[in-house]
Amino acid sequence: LAGSVVIDKGEGDYVVQAQLTRGLHSLAIGAHIGNCSTGLYNCGPLVHVKAFGVENATAAPESGSTSPYGRVFTCKPTPGQEATCAADILKPFATRAWRRPVEADLLTRLVSVATAATAAGAGFDEAIGAALREVLSSPRFLYRFESAADAVKGYRALDDYELAARLSYFLWSTMPDAELTSLADQATLTKPETLETQVTRMLAHPKAQALTDNFAGQWLFLRAIPGVTKNPTWHPDFDASLDADLVQESQRLFSFVAHGDGSALDLVTGDYAFLNDRLRTYYGLPTTGKTEFERTSLAATGRRGLLGEAGLLSYLARPERSSPVTRGKWVLTQLLCTTPAPPPKGIPPLPALKDTESMTMRDVMVQHRASPTCAACHQIMDPMGFALENFDGAGKWIDDYRGQPLDLTGQMPTTGAPFNGPKELASAIAADARFPRCVASKLFTYATARAPDAFDDAQIDVLAKSFAESQFSFPALVAKLATSPAFTLRRAADPAAAAP
């Protein structure tokens, strides 16, 4: 910063002081420490910041109803009216923070906090600050606060404010907006037709990106794509800077489906992707001269849906080569909701690549599965992973492995449906009755913040059936879930304990 002063405190400690004006400032601290004998400038002692602070901030706070200060401090007290002004400030603040009108007794308690601070010598603004801290440290702010269920019935209907919060955090990952709050004020949000209208509105809003970032990020492991690294010896075209494009490719596909522009089956069988020229080049497709992402046909390729996207394929692989076990397990757990048994203790790792680099992964796994303790789980996971062996460890298409043909055949666990290669695997997953039920179950868990249990089986079945009947419309599934008893009722922690 211009005008900063450096004070040498001795023993390698320095204090940097600077006078700042109101506004945003960028601060950077560095040191030029070298070794004169070597000419190197990276071998001196480490530099770190011990403390940072702002002192003597004397400028008056911004005024006006549009400033942050003015939006909170909506009045200035006159002598004898401090409590009234405090209530006028705290009531709308607490109502907004707690996502429902603040009860009279709670407002009285908040005002008493400010009054006590004033009595202890605090100024009015400081006293209000103490009450605001009380609001923001309350469980009503920190959690989605919902009253307990009826002890006899084992459940109760959410009120409009609770439902507004539950819906908003489900679709937007943030607090209700003015329209939701207004509907709650009018006690009309609990009507199914109103809820469906709000789902349509909210999915079309930019805030619905949170559903892609958080729900898809968790369910489909899209959050894990950034930071994937590959062995440059084996995958020289893959670098860390590719991650951002790969994440966008997957996010754009999910958002397209979530908005209702595509069927949810397209997550598995879609013969298109959203690519820019960098990804087109990576996939061996003709470029268009554009850096923007555009819908691109993959009909002439073997790529289908998410299981044809290099970001996810790279994550579900090892740094140097593919991993049919990891890929097969992802299909099994995330798309079919079937959890394999955990591996027994003492299972040896796969041999090093240098010892098996001339072998296909199927050949390597045949040796690994020779043990009966390994074969039980691998026989339901591996075939789906083998079907994806056209994709190397970095998600690039290969027709063979170092001149050796690839065996991409297999059968779906439980159903026995045969497949040969990634396209047929995608079709087999889409035709499996477990897929719509799994999508419904994953969305249920995210929306209600709890995993479904035996009491929810019938509700999941209803959601899955409705989902399939809607031609796998994701907005229709969201609306069905948002209007379901599982979403609109508050259930007891243990429904079985409710009185008969």
Side-chain angles (χ1 to χ4, degrees), residues 179-201:
E179 183 166 336
L180 281 174
T181 301
S182 175
L183 291 169
D185 290 339
Q186 300 167 40
T188 58
L189 185 59
T190 51
K191 296 179 179 179
E193 61 272 18
T194 304
L195 267 178
E196 290 182 10
T197 299
Q198 287 304 302
V199 166
T200 300
R201 176 183 75 90

Side-chain angles (χ1 to χ4, degrees), residues 77-355:
T78 57
Q81 297 298 313
E82 289 85 358
T84 301
C85 182
D88 290 342
I89 291 172
L90 294 170
K91 184 176 181 179
F93 185 90
T95 294
R96 181 73 173 141
W98 292 348
R99 301 171 288 278
R100 63 181 304 114
V102 59
E103 294 91 334
D105 60 329
L106 293 177
L107 180 59
T108 299
R109 285 170 53 186
L110 293 174
V111 172
S112 70
V113 171
T115 302
T118 301
F124 181 77
D125 285 10
E126 185 180 352
I128 293 296
L132 297 181
R133 287 192 293 273
E134 189 83 5
V135 172
L136 299 179
S137 60
S138 166
R140 294 171 181 268
F141 173 73
L142 298 173
Y143 300 95
R144 279 198 299 105
F145 191 83
E146 296 175 355
S147 300
D150 186 289
V152 177
K153 293 181 178 179
Y155 66 89
R156 70 167 181 83
L158 296 177
D159 67 32
D160 288 79
Y161 296 103
E162 292 169 331
L163 190 55
R166 186 176 280 200
L167 184 64
S168 188
Y169 281 97
F170 169 28
L171 299 181
W172 288 351
S173 298
T174 190
M175 62 201 311
D177 66 354
E179 183 166 336
L180 281 174
T181 301
S182 175
L183 291 169
D185 290 339
Q186 300 167 40
T188 58
L189 185 59
T190 51
K191 296 179 179 179
E193 61 272 18
T194 304
L195 267 178
E196 290 182 10
T197 299
Q198 287 304 302
V199 166
T200 300
R201 176 183 75 90
M202 294 173 72
L203 285 177
H205 195 282
K207 289 181 183 178
Q209 177 63 31
L211 197 63
T212 297
D213 294 340
N214 298 324
F215 171 58
Q218 295 173 52
W219 167 36
L220 302 170
F221 295 5
L222 305 188
R223 286 180 173 180
I225 295 175
V228 170
T229 58
K230 294 295 166 184
N231 187 323
T233 300
W234 293 90
H235 305 294
D237 295 336
F238 190 98
D239 59 66
S241 64
L242 192 66
D243 280 354
D245 287 345
L246 294 174
V247 172
Q248 277 213 53
E249 177 191 5
S250 298
Q251 288 182 334
R252 285 170 181 268
L253 175 60
F254 181 84
S255 294
F256 188 75
V257 167
H259 292 155
D261 298 313
S263 164
L265 292 181
D266 289 354
L267 295 175
V268 178
T269 61
D271 62 354
Y272 62 90
F274 295 90
L275 308 175
N276 58 10
D277 263 2
R278 188 178 189 192
L279 291 181
R280 290 188 192 95
T281 299
Y282 193 75
Y283 288 167
L285 299 172
T287 58
T288 64
K290 298 179 180 179
T291 58
E292 297 82 8
F293 282 80
E294 295 180 316
R295 178 168 171 164
T296 304
S297 174
L298 300 176
T301 76
R303 297 182 184 272
R304 292 294 183 269
L306 291 167
L307 286 172
E309 296 188 348
L312 184 62
L313 289 164
S314 297
Y315 172 69
L316 301 173
R318 301 169 70 181
E320 68 284 343
R321 69 189 302 177
S322 65
S323 176
V325 177
T326 306
R327 290 173 176 176
K329 183 181 178 182
W330 184 89
V331 173
L332 196 66
T333 58
Q334 303 311 116
L335 300 184
L336 302 177
C337 287
T338 302
T339 304
K345 295 182 179 180
I347 298 300
L350 293 176
L353 179 60
K354 63 182 178 62
D355 298 323

